[in-house]
Amino acid sequence: MTTAKRIDGKAKAEQLAGTITEQTASLLSEHGIKPGLAVVIIGEDPASQVYVRNKKRRAESCGFYSVQHSIPADTTQEEVLRLIDELNNDDAIHGILVQLPLPDHLDEQTITQSISPSKDVDGFHFVNIGKLTAGHTDDAFIPCTPAGCMLMIEDELGKDLSGLNAVVMGRSNIVGKPMASLLMKQNATVTITHSRTKDLPQVVAGADIVIAAIGRAEMVKADWVKPGAVVIDVGINRVEKTIDGETKSKLVGDVDYDDVCSVAKAVTPVPGGVGPMTITMLMFNTLRSARLAAGLEG
Ligand code: GUN
């Protein structure tokens, strides 16, 4: 029985963050510019609080100017739009991120589309989505999760994915659709599956590259996976597990990691795979935005 390589997203993210920190220091010493990231969090969602805290910590460790706007769940849409307008016009801010999900009374589309495309480090603005879909990645902000997944895929398989089949499980705007665009740009043959897909295991079995972004704990099993495939697990699911008679809460992905390791070539673990890369790509996008604002190459 083979055992897949564990793709160490944490180590790769640390390495990349080191390069970003060095480039941030040069930008400051040579051009007097400090990348500025503003994160807006609305309400008290506990998972969002953790994500935002990690983003702030990472921004500070890279040497960025980092501001967090924590505003109450009952803030009106007009107040949120006013804050975004202020941040759009603040020269010290190069990246704006409004943490999702939003409270029900706020309109996600209006809010994400009100962020200036040049500060949209999440890559959710239609201008950036359009550029990515058209293959103009040089001057687009790419959503952080798929951008991080692509760097890990590139480490395993190189930049040119000609002749390889990729199956993206999940059709979200944050992961599935941009992931498919990036894979196509690198010449992969891409299938997107979703909740209405027929014979899902059979479709996945044809994939040299599997991206699981469905939000179902440990759904992808070894007998779904082609021997030698590269498997990227975007899922983060909290489950109760009983080990040695003790029940504990644990984070697992959409992939049954131990099972799939018996057939795949390489698999990302959860935690320690895609998650740390996603945060680091946010720093990458913010540094890039600061460089572009200063008239430098991104
Ligand atoms: N919530 C979960 N993932 C994300 C993300 O990538 N960006 C934002 N803004 N909110 C999220």
Side-chain angles (χ1 to χ4, degrees), residues 55 97-100 122 124 174:
K55 286 169 186 173
L97 178 145
V98 178
Q99 186 67 27
L100 303 177
D122 253 331
F124 295 168
I174 298 185

Side-chain angles (χ1 to χ4, degrees), residues 40 48 51 55 96-101 112 122 124 143-146 174-175 278 282:
V40 179
S48 292
Y51 295 143
K55 286 169 186 173
I96 304 169
L97 178 145
V98 178
Q99 186 67 27
L100 303 177
T112 52
D122 253 331
F124 295 168
C144 303
T145 300
I174 298 185
V175 182
T278 295
L282 177 66

Side-chain angles (χ1 to χ4, degrees), residues 125-278:
H125 195 284
F126 292 157
V127 166
N128 286 312
I129 295 172
K131 284 180 179 174
L132 170 58
T133 308
H136 289 266
T137 47
D138 287 351
D139 65 344
F141 286 112
I142 312 296
C144 303
T145 300
C149 292
M150 278 313 287
L151 289 185
M152 292 191 285
I153 292 168
E154 191 182 308
D155 276 355
E156 301 309 316
L157 298 167
K159 271 188 195 296
D160 186 6
L161 305 175
S162 295
L164 298 178
N165 294 327
V167 170
V168 179
M169 303 171 68
R171 56 177 156 179
S172 72
N173 290 329
I174 298 185
V175 182
K177 288 178 199 164
M179 190 75 238
S181 296
L182 288 170
L183 287 161
M184 264 191 290
K185 189 170 167 62
Q186 303 309 128
N187 303 316
T189 302
V190 182
T191 305
I192 302 185
T193 70
H194 46 77
S195 55
R196 310 291 172 92
T197 297
K198 215 170 100 178
D199 301 329
L200 181 61
Q202 204 178 315
V203 178
V204 175
D208 303 293
I209 303 164
V210 179
I211 314 287
I214 41 178
R216 300 273 296 270
E218 298 180 322
M219 190 187 196
V220 179
K221 304 291 180 191
D223 59 4
W224 294 32
V225 173
K226 179 173 170 177
V230 171
V231 180
I232 307 290
D233 190 351
V234 180
I236 304 177
N237 311 285
R238 191 162 280 286
V239 294
E240 302 285 318
K241 285 223 167 183
T242 305
I243 303 161
D244 298 334
E246 210 184 327
T247 303
K248 283 190 177 160
S249 157
K250 187 173 178 250
L251 285 183
V252 298
D254 292 347
V255 174
D256 186 334
Y257 181 84
D258 291 337
D259 197 31
V260 166
C261 273
S262 64
V263 289
K265 173 178 177 227
V267 187
T268 61
V270 176
V274 172
M277 284 300 289
T278 295

